[in-house]
Amino acid sequence: MYRVNPVVLTLALFVIVICSCTKIEKKENVVNNQVGSSLNQPVYKNPFGVLISKSNGISLGDADAVQLAKDLGVQYVRLSLESGNWDDSLKRRSFLNTYKSFVTATPAIQVLLNINWRNAKGSVPFPGASPEYKTYITNVLDTLMSGRYAAPALVVVENEENNPNFHAIATKGDLDKYLDELKYAVQVCKARNIKVCNAGFTSLGMHLLVWDYYKNILQDSIAAQTFMHEILPPESTVDFNTSKFQKKLKIVKYLMDAYPTVDMDYFNFHWYEPVQALFWLDSTLPHSIDTNNISQGALEDVVNYLRYHAPIAGKTIITNETGQITTSPEIPKEITCALQAFPIVSWYSGDGGFDDDRKALYKAVALHNAKRTTPVYTLRPNGVAFKTNIANIIADPYDYCQSFFK
């Protein structure tokens, strides 16, 4: 009788098992293996969240905001806390009530928490790792983890660290104070097993970094010019070589170069579409740009830069603020598909939202339509599109969206 070599038999069985498995595209930090009856079945964790702001100048109450988050089908809500409000007993109680309304909902809605040091309007200096800041962030986290609430899913240290409308940024010393603050926040969050990230580079900050990478690092003027065409309408006179934009570039480059030494869990940036409309400051609508869809190529270039070429390449990428500046229902579909592999994608649902001194023609558009009569909100067409698309992604995350990134 012919005897089968046991080594050959083992190898043959291994090949059969491997070939019979369904091929799953590996996503960025969203594919996990289950152990048990379902071997190697992909588990998709809903990455979507919402920042609920004013719509039609109206803010929703806590219960209605919770219902809106449920209606949209998100897993996260983004909340913000400022040190001045924490120090005020009434405002602290209001924040904690709002926080609790989300984390005790059924099902619970997890919180992406911006912990900010702001005691006044306008540009405020970073506190650094000062005794006051240490006391503030420690007290906040200890309170939330006391058993009466729930730990935040993520702590975001400040809001838009490169934005001079929020932060006093005049010297490298100012930025060093932010780095000190961020490093201390990372330390206290890690000790409590809480995820933590930077404040979120603005869209402009990311545009400047990618343009500079093409122009000055690769010294590829064609690629730099192509990128400018992706982010600007043809009529625009914006020039990144001017001292105004070069100063902004120095800020994000200094921080980006420092971030590899910071043990934060994610790199966070903000993004609005269509990108080509972001820089349009005139009162006359540009007719040469597509306002119904995302600006082709821009987001792909930015994410590819972050993944493969930036100093923080290899670090997981998130956005705790993305959104749209036109009413198009196509934009939520396109962005949610484009970023479905991010572990966190939080959408800005508010009207306006940009600083008062920014005279942009296009401004943020909410997913919901708030009213002073019952029902207190309805979903706008773009909100329905957002809700429908993320439901479809969650139901079929690996086949519903077409491939977006290279």
Side-chain angles (χ1 to χ4, degrees):
M1 178 182 289
Y2 178 75
R3 300 180 68 179
V4 178
N5 187 315
V7 174
V8 174
L9 179 60
T10 301
L11 290 173
L13 290 172
F14 178 78
V15 171
I16 291 170
V17 170
I18 292 298
C19 292
S20 64
C21 291
T22 302
K23 182 180 179 183
I24 301 296
E25 179 184 359
K26 185 178 180 182
K27 300 292 184 179
E28 186 171 345
N29 277 8
V30 296
V31 177
N32 302 303
N33 290 332
Q34 285 183 328
V35 178
S37 58
S38 300
L39 179 63
N40 291 331
Q41 289 296 314
V43 178
Y44 183 77
K45 184 179 178 183
N46 178 3
F48 298 106
V50 64
L51 192 174
I52 302 171
S53 191
K54 288 184 178 181
S55 167
N56 300 324
I58 301 171
S59 298
L60 296 180
D62 289 349
D64 295 315
V66 169
Q67 186 55 48
L68 174 59
K70 288 184 179 182
D71 196 5
L72 291 170
V74 298
Q75 178 178 214
Y76 302 108
V77 65
R78 178 181 160 189
L79 300 179
S80 294
L81 175 65
E82 297 183 359
S83 54
N85 290 341
W86 183 257
D87 293 336
D88 183 304
S89 60
L90 292 178
K91 292 178 180 179
R92 181 172 64 248
R93 187 183 309 163
S94 176
F95 163 78
L96 290 171
N97 287 340
T98 298
Y99 188 100
K100 190 172 185 178
S101 68
F102 285 101
V103 298
T104 60
T106 305
I109 299 168
Q110 299 181 67
V111 174
L112 311 173
L113 180 59
N114 272 85
I115 299 183
N116 305 324
W117 182 264
R118 285 177 63 79
N119 296 292
K121 291 184 178 180
S123 301
V124 176
F126 294 114
S130 63
E132 294 81 7
Y133 180 76
K134 290 180 178 180
T135 298
Y136 165 52
I137 192 170
T138 300
N139 286 347
V140 171
L141 295 179
D142 285 349
T143 299
L144 296 179
M145 299 187 71
S146 64
R148 292 172 291 166
Y149 306 97
L154 174 69
V155 165
V156 184
V157 184
E158 301 293 345
N159 179 41
E160 298 185 342
E161 65 267 49
N162 67 305
N163 191 334
N165 292 308
F166 300 152
H167 312 290
I169 307 172
T171 66
K172 288 182 180 179
D174 294 328
L175 297 177
D176 287 336
K177 283 188 175 182
Y178 177 68
L179 292 170
D180 290 341
E181 175 188 354
L182 178 60
K183 289 175 182 178
Y184 183 78
V186 167
Q187 177 184 328
V188 297
C189 288
K190 293 281 185 179
R192 292 161 175 78
N193 200 29
I194 298 173
K195 301 288 188 182
V196 60
C197 72
N198 64 300
F201 278 12
T202 61
S203 297
L204 172 58
M206 293 312 310
H207 298 159
L208 289 166
L209 283 170
V210 174
W211 171 80
D212 178 71
Y213 170 72
Y214 287 142
K215 184 175 185 292
N216 297 315
I217 306 301
L218 294 184
Q219 296 186 335
D220 188 339
S221 58
I222 300 300
Q225 191 61 36
T226 299
F227 182 68
M228 291 295 282
H229 285 312
E230 291 173 355
I231 64 173
L232 298 174
E235 304 96 329
S236 174
T237 58
V238 170
D239 181 2
F240 283 175
N241 291 295
T242 62
S243 59
K244 170 187 174 182
F245 286 105
Q246 286 297 304
K247 181 179 178 181
K248 295 177 181 294
L249 173 61
K250 287 179 181 179
I251 291 170
V252 286
K253 284 190 71 174
Y254 187 80
L255 291 170
M256 181 63 85
D257 287 342
Y259 282 165
T261 66
V262 181
D263 189 28
M264 57 190 181
D265 295 279
Y266 307 119
F267 174 77
N268 177 32
F269 75 102
H270 294 174
W271 195 259
Y272 283 85
E273 290 280 1
V275 175
Q276 286 190 328
L278 280 171
F279 295 97
W280 195 255
L281 305 180
D282 296 342
S283 59
T284 304
L285 286 167
H287 299 290
S288 59
I289 64 174
D290 181 359
T291 57
N292 292 316
N293 299 278
I294 65 176
S295 299
Q296 294 300 307
L299 181 55
E300 181 177 6
D301 277 359
V302 165
V303 173
N304 284 336
Y305 164 76
L306 289 173
R307 281 180 171 167
Y308 307 117
H309 308 297
I312 52 89
K315 192 175 290 291
T316 303
I317 311 163
I318 66 166
T319 174
N320 82 324
E321 184 174 331
T322 189
Q324 62 190 115
I325 57 174
T326 70
T327 59
S328 167
E330 297 304 316
I331 289 176
K333 299 177 186 177
E334 292 168 353
I335 295 182
T336 50
C337 272
L339 301 182
Q340 67 158 339
F342 281 24
I344 293 172
V345 180
S346 182
W347 196 275
Y348 183 84
S349 184
D351 292 331
F354 294 126
D355 308 297
D356 293 337
D357 63 345
R358 184 167 183 226
K359 305 303 180 184
L361 185 59
Y362 296 94
K363 296 191 177 183
V365 175
L367 298 171
H368 68 289
N369 190 46
K371 301 182 293 182
R372 300 191 187 280
T373 56
T374 304
V376 294
Y377 78 84
T378 56
L379 295 183
R380 293 172 177 171
N382 57 318
V384 173
F386 177 85
K387 173 182 179 178
T388 302
N389 216 58
I390 66 173
N392 285 331
I393 291 171
I394 292 166
D396 194 5
Y398 307 107
D399 292 319
Y400 176 71
C401 295
Q402 294 181 353
S403 178
F404 183 83
F405 295 116
K406 296 175 183 176

